[in-house]
Amino acid sequence: EVQLVESGGGLVQPGGSLRLSCAASGFTFSIYWMSWVRQAPGKGLEWVANIKPDGGEKYYVDSVKGRFTISRDDAKNSLYLQMNSLRAEDTAVYYCASDPSSRSAFDLWGQGTMVTVSS
Amino acid sequence: QSALTQPAAVSGSPGQSITISCTGTSSDVGSYNLVSWYQQHPGKAPKLIIYEDIKRPSGVSNRFSGSKSGNTASLTISGLQAEDDADYYCCSYARSGTWVFGGGTKLAVL
């Protein structure tokens, strides 16, 4: 079955760190761009970051530049998001997303993992 | 990286047609044929319903159609059904590897 499964969410204090993981299965993970998309409670979707198949290119939304780092381990079919200096406004469900059908869109989504930044 | 502009809410009766607009700029929507649309039901992950402006993934009802003119893309849903009651988001490639979503539109099927 083609799927993405996120983990690593939780409650963290402002200024803290958290590492999200996304396990991929059912498709050739290593040849596709991978992305993180988040959704604050009751709000819309926001693209956060993506990474090229070879990991050589990474892009971020301005609001997380310098604080978040996206990475991948193709041997483990896994995507990661290291989040540092977390702020209350980073509170959201974080989705892992990909495009295994090469549709230049986010064709496959995980179920999401909730990150809450609060003291 | 400003969000694309969508109406906050639209509504329609079963059987009717509705259109949701998505306005960007010449740096995103107007520059690439890479607008996609997503349907999201409460508590669920988004689902791709339109990609590359006008294409529909297999398995998605042909009641969903996409179009684009200049910096504005549109999603039309014909023959509204109760299960279409959901949130809808547009998304566009926005240069240099980045993507931008619209603010979302809540569709109420009355």
Side-chain angles (χ1 to χ4, degrees), chain B residues 29-43:
Chain B
V29 174
S31 285
Y32 311 96
N33 295 325
L34 292 176
V35 172
S36 50
W37 289 88
Y38 302 84
Q39 177 191 61
Q40 186 181 37
H41 287 105

Side-chain angles (χ1 to χ4, degrees), chain A residues 3-6 22 94-98 108-112, chain B residues 44-46:
Chain A
Q3 65 175 357
L4 299 170
V5 179
E6 302 95 336
C22 170
Y94 283 74
Y95 293 101
C96 169
S98 187
L108 178 65
W109 297 70
Q111 85 288 351
Chain B
K44 301 294 187 181

Side-chain angles (χ1 to χ4, degrees), chain B residues 35-80:
Chain B
V35 172
S36 50
W37 289 88
Y38 302 84
Q39 177 191 61
Q40 186 181 37
H41 287 105
K44 301 294 187 181
K47 173 189 175 183
L48 177 67
I49 56 174
I50 295 290
Y51 66 101
E52 293 179 2
D53 293 356
I54 61 172
K55 298 178 181 179
R56 193 172 52 248
S58 58
V60 173
S61 172
N62 59 10
R63 297 184 298 104
F64 294 90
S65 62
S67 63
K68 193 176 77 174
S69 177
N71 297 336
T72 297
S74 298
L75 171 71
T76 297
I77 309 174
S78 59
L80 275 177

